[in-house]
Amino acid sequence: MTLSHTLTGEEPEHLTQAGRRQAQVDPLAALREPGDPPWDVYLTGTVFLDIIFTGLDSAPVRGTESWARGMGSSPGGVANMASALARLGLRTSLAAAFGDDHYGEYCWDALAQGEGIDLTPSRTVPGWHSPVTVSMAYEGERTMVSHGHEPPPEEPAPDCPPRARAAVASLTPGRRAPWIAQAAREGTRIFADVGWDETGAWDLAGLPDLEHCEAFLPNAEEAKRYTGADCPRLAAHALTEYVPVAVVTLGSEGAYAVDRRTGEAAEVPAIAVEALDPTGAGDVFVAGFVTGSLAGWPLADRLAFAGLTAALSVQEFGGSLSAPGWSEIGAWWRRVQSVEGQDRAALRRYAFLDRLVPEELDRPWPLRRAVPTIGFRRSG
């Protein structure tokens, strides 16, 4: 199933209406009851301003000047995950520090007004400038340069995280995040990923907050290093000694997951796509898996949906810019069914989308996506 999008350079529609359109599908509508937590997912972390250069023919060469044919800007960092969740219709709350500069104001407005993300637990920090990442995308890869300073230690996570069905945490080897245990005690389901262990220890005991987590989603290399297993699938099974659900991403091979509580194991192959920019794909995968988990889908459907959303994201440039919503998912589903000679068995793997994607969200394919740029002024 190889499909591609085209990034356009025309002046964009503002994100405000785009974010609200995506939220027209509520994947948890049948489950909502009075007294539920006000938020589906809670996040905390660092928001970056991402500036993305596109249309580079090759990697920049030292001592030369390279010209990019396109450029976009958007909130990045934890905003990638928050945007992905919100575009899938989940009520998302984010605690983050924002600089009191124009970059911070832009990111705040893009997330709150554009994506409908709750920023009540977030703070603007006087005198602190926004972290910035410049990303250069070429040949399906990316090169990034970042700059920023640590925010004051009391920012941004609040003492008491808001009530939420779930939270996504990025675990740091050797450190506890007190809010994780507190959220878990309140009934929040914790989904965790992890970055590269710079210490080289690769010791699961060094991830103390794992005991509070429902699911752990490392990549294949991380899973093998943490468990000592030679095979990422065996590593997934080994991880269920520490966490109920282990999901191991396998790159171009897809993903494998095990649920210790039900005895389920599932593997879903990746969708073959032309990758333009992998920025934020891991965040989008986690957002898709969390969505399916909160909706109570079977494990294989959760994996397939997570892989699909990640595949759609890499066909666009940028992190939060590329996160798909239900319009994109619906357009993809109808498109692949109309392709002659399509693998029928592969299509059956995604047949669960029939009950999720309403006809009124159908839009032309390929999609023309907004590319926000700081400083645009709207006439009138």
Side-chain angles (χ1 to χ4, degrees):
M1 299 182 185
T2 303
L3 299 171
S4 62
H5 291 172
T6 301
L7 186 72
T8 66
E10 63 185 32
E11 183 168 340
E13 174 184 348
H14 194 266
L15 286 176
T16 301
Q17 297 304 319
R20 291 174 182 166
R21 278 200 304 272
Q22 300 292 12
Q24 288 177 352
V25 172
D26 182 358
L28 307 185
L31 304 175
R32 298 196 185 280
E33 297 180 352
D36 282 346
W39 307 110
D40 296 325
V41 188
Y42 168 74
L43 300 166
T44 185
T46 302
V47 172
F48 286 74
L49 171 71
D50 281 357
I51 301 173
I52 308 104
F53 289 105
T54 66
L56 289 163
D57 294 321
S58 61
V61 177
R62 185 173 64 180
T64 67
E65 181 179 16
S66 299
W67 278 84
R69 291 187 291 274
M71 188 195 83
S73 53
S74 67
V78 71
N80 295 339
M81 179 80 71
S83 296
L85 290 162
R87 291 184 184 186
L88 293 176
L90 298 186
R91 301 170 184 175
T92 304
S93 182
L94 171 64
F98 288 79
D100 64 349
D101 50 17
H102 288 304
Y103 292 171
E105 180 182 3
Y106 166 79
C107 290
W108 185 292
D109 288 345
L111 295 174
Q113 303 300 321
E115 305 292 352
I117 295 166
D118 169 59
L119 297 181
T120 302
S122 293
R123 301 288 183 271
T124 296
V125 181
W128 183 64
H129 77 75
S130 301
V132 177
T133 292
V134 175
S135 176
M136 293 161 280
Y138 52 88
E139 300 172 354
E141 296 294 337
R142 61 182 176 176
T143 297
M144 298 187 293
V145 178
S146 297
H147 173 71
H149 299 286
E150 288 290 330
E154 68 273 13
E155 305 288 352
D159 293 334
C160 182
R163 289 178 60 234
R165 296 173 187 264
V168 180
S170 184
L171 305 183
T172 302
R175 288 171 52 187
R176 282 189 181 271
W179 72 266
I180 295 177
Q182 184 170 359
R185 284 194 296 270
E186 296 296 321
T188 298
R189 300 163 64 180
I190 310 295
F191 296 77
D193 60 14
V194 67
W196 191 257
D197 188 353
E198 300 291 348
T199 70
W202 298 102
D203 182 5
L204 285 168
L207 300 177
D209 285 325
L210 200 58
E211 64 178 318
H212 306 297
C213 297
E214 172 178 327
F216 184 44
L217 298 94
N219 63 33
E221 188 61 29
E222 291 162 349
K224 289 191 295 183
R225 286 177 180 265
Y226 271 116
T227 62
D230 294 331
C231 168
R233 294 162 185 83
L234 292 177
H237 285 273
L239 287 170
T240 59
E241 296 181 15
Y242 300 86
V243 66
V245 179
V247 181
V248 177
T249 54
L250 308 173
S252 61
E253 295 182 36
Y256 183 83
V258 183
D259 189 330
R260 182 186 69 206
R261 300 165 301 186
T262 64
E264 289 179 279
E267 182 166 0
V268 174
I271 298 173
V273 296
E274 180 183 353
L276 297 180
D277 182 5
T279 303
D283 295 325
V284 174
F285 181 94
V286 173
F289 189 81
V290 170
T291 299
S293 298
L294 293 183
W297 301 348
L299 186 61
D301 289 355
R302 286 181 267 164
L303 270 192
F305 186 72
L308 168 60
T309 54
L312 292 177
S313 77
V314 302
Q315 295 179 91
E316 298 286 351
F317 291 104
S320 62
L321 282 177
S322 68
W326 287 102
S327 296
E328 289 89 339
I329 294 166
W332 175 87
W333 178 230
R334 281 179 279 276
R335 172 69 173 176
V336 296
Q337 292 180 87
S338 68
V339 175
E340 292 186 9
Q342 194 65 269
D343 184 341
R344 307 313 298 180
L347 287 179
R348 285 194 295 272
R349 172 62 273 155
Y350 297 90
F352 67 92
L353 292 173
D354 279 333
R355 69 179 185 272
L356 295 169
V357 182
E359 291 295 328
E360 62 266 22
L361 283 188
D362 195 12
R363 292 166 64 187
W365 184 282
L367 299 170
R368 301 170 71 85
R369 186 183 290 273
V371 185
T373 299
I374 295 172
F376 272 150
R377 296 185 181 276
R378 300 185 65 81
S379 60

